[in-house]
């Protein structure tokens, strides 16, 4: 069965950086839509970065200029690097996957994008301390 296994969560300082990773099992990232989401309790799950099979990348405004999503198709690993962390980056972060057509064909990640994803990691807490 498909599994997305995340790592790299934890605590970080304001202004610092962190790297989140997601390894996919029984799923080929090469031909898929891959994405990172985050969720603050009580709020909608927010898509913050996507990459499709062509390597087209989108970022949410909330992380634009601070986040870098990358995909290693050979190793089946999705990575999110975040810099200049802010306390408002504190959230549970999720890796997600779906067929390539699920990725947005626009210049932004729409609200509700999470509804189109087929597979999810368990999520990991990232806490940014001021």
């Amino acid at each position: 069965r498909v599994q997305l296994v995340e790592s790299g969560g934890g605590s970080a300082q304001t202004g610092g950086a962190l790297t989140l990773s997601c390894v996919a099992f029984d799923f080929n990232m090469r031909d898929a839509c891959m994405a990172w989401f985050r969720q603050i309790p009580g709020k909608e799950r927010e898509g913050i970065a996507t990459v499709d099979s062509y390597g087209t990348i989108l970022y949410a405004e909330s992380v634009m200029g601070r986040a870098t999503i990358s995909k290693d198709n050979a190793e089946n690993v999705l990575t999110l690097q975040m810099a200049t962390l802010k306390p408002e980056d504190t959230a549970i972060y999720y890796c997600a996957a779906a067929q390539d057509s699920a990725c947005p064909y626009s210049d932004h990640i729409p609200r509700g994008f999470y509804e189109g994803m087929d597979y999810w990691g368990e999520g990991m807490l990232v806490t940014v301390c001021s």
Side-chain angles (χ1 to χ4, degrees):
R1 63 182 181 93
V2 175
Q3 282 188 286
L4 301 177
V5 180
E6 301 138 332
S7 61
S11 297
Q13 295 293 316
T14 296
L18 59 76
T19 298
L20 306 180
S21 296
C22 171
V23 181
F25 296 93
D26 287 334
F27 186 85
N28 188 349
M29 285 190 183
R30 184 184 304 275
D31 302 321
C33 175
M34 301 299 300
W36 287 99
F37 292 78
R38 67 185 183 186
Q39 189 168 24
I40 299 169
K43 294 195 174 183
E44 182 176 300
R45 191 167 294 188
E46 175 192 22
I48 58 172
T50 70
V51 55
D52 68 11
S53 65
Y54 296 97
T56 303
I57 290 172
L58 292 174
Y59 295 105
E61 285 189 17
S62 58
V63 301
M64 189 80 69
R66 303 187 298 121
T68 302
I69 187 172
S70 59
K71 187 174 60 160
D72 185 332
N73 290 328
E75 298 294 329
N76 239 17
V77 176
L78 181 74
T79 300
L80 180 72
Q81 295 176 296
M82 289 201 48
T84 320
L85 290 167
K86 305 174 182 179
E88 51 263 44
D89 291 322
T90 296
I92 298 173
Y93 285 71
Y94 298 88
C95 167
Q99 58 185 351
D100 192 53
S101 60
C103 261
Y105 287 93
S106 62
D107 60 355
H108 69 281
I109 303 173
R111 288 190 62 183
F113 170 56
Y114 66 91
E115 295 178 353
M117 306 307 287
D118 297 320
Y119 305 104
W120 292 88
E122 292 188 352
M124 50 188 170
L125 178 63
V126 170
T127 303
V128 181
C129 306
S130 58

